[in-house]
Amino acid sequence: MATATTIPTTPQNSSYKGVLRGRRKDSTPTLFPDVPVQRDSGPDALLPPGSRPERVGIARLASSSPLADAKRGTEYFLLPVRSILNHCDSDRVPFSWTVNPYRGCEFGCQYCYARYTHEYMELDSADFERKIYVKQDAGPLAGRDLGMEKVQGEHIAIGTATDPYQPAEREFGTTRAILEQMATRKGLSVSITTKSNQVVRDLDLLLRIAAHSTVHVNLSITTLRPRLARMLEPRAPRPDLRLQAVRELRDAGIAAGVFAMPVLPGLTDAEADLDALARASRDAGAQWFAARVLYLMPSAQKQFLPFLYAKFPKLARRYREWFSHSNYAPESYQREISGRIAALRTKYHLGKLPIEPARPREDAPQLNLGLDFTPAAQSPQRLTDARSPQSPLRVLTNEDR
């Protein structure tokens, strides 16, 4: 019987309180850009008790954002922003531009690395799912940003830090407003990553984008077990609903695949569980199956480790061995999971992500290279040949400050 990978244990008398201290610089190569931890030193630390400096930047904007609504224990604020596209200059990710229509995410995933982005607004990372900031004027700003010379021909990844189809989207429609602008352009390269089946609501726009550009959708699914999924991702749609979204996207002719991200040691890494997820992805018509092991920043540890101590205490003690001094699991474990995922791709004839051709500038004639990258050519066979692994694994990148 297949079991989850064994994780080294730690002494029983070790203290949980020290898990966030004594962090060292991690030299392990990674696809994630470096991100700052909480600011607990520097000029602000010298201020007299009870005083605080004047807020600047995103913190100032967040503090003055009007409350738009409040329901289900969540507050929604309208955040004025200067742009919708965020430039990503890290060579560790295969895209140049990211779009996150919201700051904060209602799905409340216990392990979410993006909780640190709330700290830029001088909010506690625990507010990540309780205070959602809706970017104002998203449609007009996206239209302006998409016309910039430096954006032409570059890939745009939507949903790299927060989910573009979280419940707020039903009421505010920020993601749809951005897609409407993309549908008016030609020669774009766009990807969407989400945990929500709500993405199929925008099939009409995705088809319009696909008529003149390249677009694909990644459905993030960590486990097929409904009870475990509800514990890990309290307000995200059920795994079966996400798989159904893959099927609907594929039936409509939109390229789609599954991200088994993150793989959680001892929770979702059992061979039988990953095999079941890969098989279900294949059956839903997914064209690729990608995975990445948990990346646990300090801000995420503050949420995830207490959760583990409450629900999986024996496992929590073991996590300390790996994450008390590093955001990453040991390289040997990462290699083991990578090998396991590669074997599953071979077994179920699943590829990596499709190769994204460089898109022509909207105002430039397209060169004939003898390759067919037209939308009609994006059939499952042409887009992802399961026997020929294609582009490097795309992962979620951090949102700009």
Side-chain angles (χ1 to χ4, degrees):
M1 179 180 295
T3 58
T5 301
T6 303
I7 304 174
T9 58
T10 55
Q12 296 290 331
N13 60 357
S14 57
S15 171
Y16 160 66
K17 294 182 179 179
V19 71
L20 297 178
R21 299 176 183 171
R23 305 188 66 81
R24 60 175 173 79
K25 178 67 175 178
D26 195 328
S27 59
T28 304
T30 173
L31 291 175
F32 290 86
D34 292 333
V35 290
V37 296
Q38 286 181 280
R39 295 186 292 272
D40 56 3
S41 61
D44 296 356
L46 303 178
L47 294 171
S51 65
R52 62 185 307 167
E54 181 180 356
R55 290 187 174 96
V56 296
I58 189 64
R60 179 179 61 81
L61 292 175
S63 66
S64 61
S65 296
L67 179 67
D69 201 357
K71 60 182 64 177
R72 304 183 296 267
T74 303
E75 295 178 311
Y76 304 89
F77 300 88
L78 300 179
L79 180 69
V81 294
R82 291 177 293 181
S83 63
I84 291 298
L85 270 65
N86 307 305
H87 186 248
C88 180
D89 58 4
S90 172
D91 59 3
R92 300 175 181 177
V93 293
F95 42 77
S96 300
W97 298 91
T98 66
V99 174
N100 290 291
Y102 303 94
R103 293 189 77 109
C105 184
E106 291 177 81
F107 287 160
C109 300
Q110 305 287 357
Y111 49 76
C112 183
Y113 82 91
R115 290 178 178 276
Y116 81 92
T117 59
H118 257 40
E119 294 172 354
Y120 289 141
M121 299 188 292
E122 298 186 11
L123 297 171
D124 192 278
S125 59
D127 289 326
F128 188 70
E129 61 262 37
R130 295 195 294 261
K131 295 182 183 294
I132 307 300
Y133 289 80
V134 183
K135 295 183 179 179
Q136 283 187 297
D137 301 319
L141 287 174
R144 182 205 64 190
D145 291 354
L146 289 169
M148 293 189 298
E149 176 76 11
K150 57 186 178 180
V151 175
Q152 302 302 312
E154 300 291 341
H155 185 79
I156 302 169
I158 303 175
T160 58
T162 60
D163 203 295
Y165 287 101
Q166 57 182 285
E169 174 63 15
R170 295 192 186 96
E171 301 173 42
F172 297 98
T174 308
T175 300
R176 185 170 177 86
I178 295 168
L179 293 179
E180 286 173 344
Q181 292 296 323
M182 291 181 168
T184 66
R185 303 279 174 168
K186 296 180 180 180
L188 297 179
S189 175
V190 180
S191 64
I192 299 172
T193 300
T194 179
K195 279 186 168 70
S196 177
N197 59 326
Q198 191 184 174
V199 64
V200 300
R201 177 205 66 179
D202 290 338
L203 262 175
D204 60 326
L205 290 175
L206 296 178
L207 290 170
R208 284 169 54 193
I209 294 172
H212 302 289
S213 300
T214 298
V215 61
H216 68 262
V217 179
N218 309 302
L219 267 295
S220 176
I221 307 173
T222 52
T223 178
L224 291 182
R225 300 185 182 188
R227 185 165 176 264
L228 179 59
R230 183 61 60 216
M231 295 172 66
L232 295 170
E233 305 152 355
R235 296 188 61 192
R238 299 192 315 265
D240 63 304
L241 296 178
R242 297 179 227 175
L243 286 170
Q244 178 58 31
V246 174
R247 168 55 62 194
E248 293 183 42
L249 289 166
R250 294 299 305 121
D251 287 347
I254 298 297
V258 169
F259 274 180
M261 296 184 186
V263 173
L264 301 168
L267 288 172
T268 66
D269 64 346
E271 290 185 31
D273 289 348
L274 289 174
D275 186 282
L277 180 53
R279 182 174 64 253
S281 300
R282 186 273 315 272
D283 293 346
Q287 296 167 274
W288 56 86
F289 184 71
R292 182 64 58 176
V293 175
L294 176 67
Y295 173 76
L296 198 61
M297 290 182 60
S299 55
Q301 287 195 27
K302 291 196 300 183
Q303 175 76 18
F304 191 54
L305 290 178
F307 162 79
L308 288 177
Y309 270 90
K311 302 297 184 181
F312 305 96
K314 294 181 179 179
L315 189 60
R317 289 194 294 270
R318 298 172 185 175
Y319 264 67
R320 295 182 68 245
E321 179 70 21
W322 284 6
F323 295 104
S324 60
H325 298 295
S326 173
N327 298 331
Y328 306 93
E331 291 185 17
S332 58
Y333 176 80
Q334 295 185 54
R335 287 194 299 269
E336 178 183 348
I337 295 301
S338 294
R340 191 174 297 174
I341 297 300
L344 290 172
R345 280 198 290 261
T346 299
K347 179 179 180 180
Y348 292 110
H349 304 297
L350 292 163
K352 295 184 180 179
L353 290 192
I355 294 176
E356 290 284 358
R359 306 304 302 178
R361 295 178 184 272
E362 189 169 341
D363 58 352
Q366 183 169 359
L367 297 177
N368 184 1
L369 302 179
L371 301 175
D372 187 1
F373 288 133
T374 60
Q378 294 183 5
S379 66
Q381 292 77 23
R382 295 187 68 91
L383 191 62
T384 301
D385 183 346
R387 294 170 181 80
S388 300
Q390 300 188 28
S391 66
L393 173 67
R394 294 185 194 276
V395 298
L396 305 184
T397 184
N398 299 320
E399 184 181 38
D400 294 342
R401 297 191 190 189

